[in-house]
Amino acid sequence: MPPETRHAAVAYYRVSTTGQEQSGLGLDAQREAVARYLKGAGWELVDAFTETETGKGSNALAKRPQLRAALELCKRRGATLVIAKLDRLARNVNFISGLLEAGCDFVAADMPQANKVMIQMHAVMAEWERDQISQRTKDALAASKASGTKLGTAGPANLRRNIEERRDAANDFAAKLAGVVEGFQARGLSQRRMVAELNTVGIKAPRGGAWSLRQVQHLLARLKADEPGEAARGSW
């Protein structure tokens, strides 16, 4: 009998600075995670590529020659690109979209069950969360400076504005997940199964961390309400 054919895999590791590459900071952990995944999946590692760069910018794929080389090898060998963690690759939606369009299969060892749609949604939420944190910080500082209010004070006007901002942010968060929820409902998932799916994909809950049943119920209420602000009375 001919020997069993093992699926080929190409590993891709990324560190942000030359210092990290030399010290091995983060790199050994990535290698261990990929090796553990490949062993469990029964795949054969045919080559590995290590990149040293920041990953910033919308054209991140063009800035990564080692990633391009890894993808070219994947195409030639019919292999799958394997990374340790999705957030090690990028938190940039444009980059993830470009990777999906490259024509190669890829898998993140920390969420191997995730399909391409789930991975793209994870990137969308990661980028949205990053932008929201940055924008809220800028707005708060600008408002405090304009009103002459010292940081840390909380009068009635400031408290009301804070509540409104939190409500708007929560509604924006819910709107970003509307498409995902529609997909869950089309599949007939229960609320508890929705919790499991969100946690499996790696999308963080509104306050960070894992989703709970109560948080999913509030999410559904926000999306169902004709006036999102009315559904915002409850706490995540």
Side-chain angles (χ1 to χ4, degrees), residues 138-151:
K138 292 178 181 178
D139 291 345
L141 291 174
S144 296
K145 183 177 180 180
S147 63
T149 302
K150 294 182 179 180
L151 294 179

Side-chain angles (χ1 to χ4, degrees), residues 51 53 57-68 95:
E51 197 93 69
E53 50 75 68
S58 60
N59 61 338
L61 188 57
K63 296 180 179 179
R64 293 173 170 168
Q66 292 301 307
L67 179 56
R68 293 200 304 272
F95 172 71

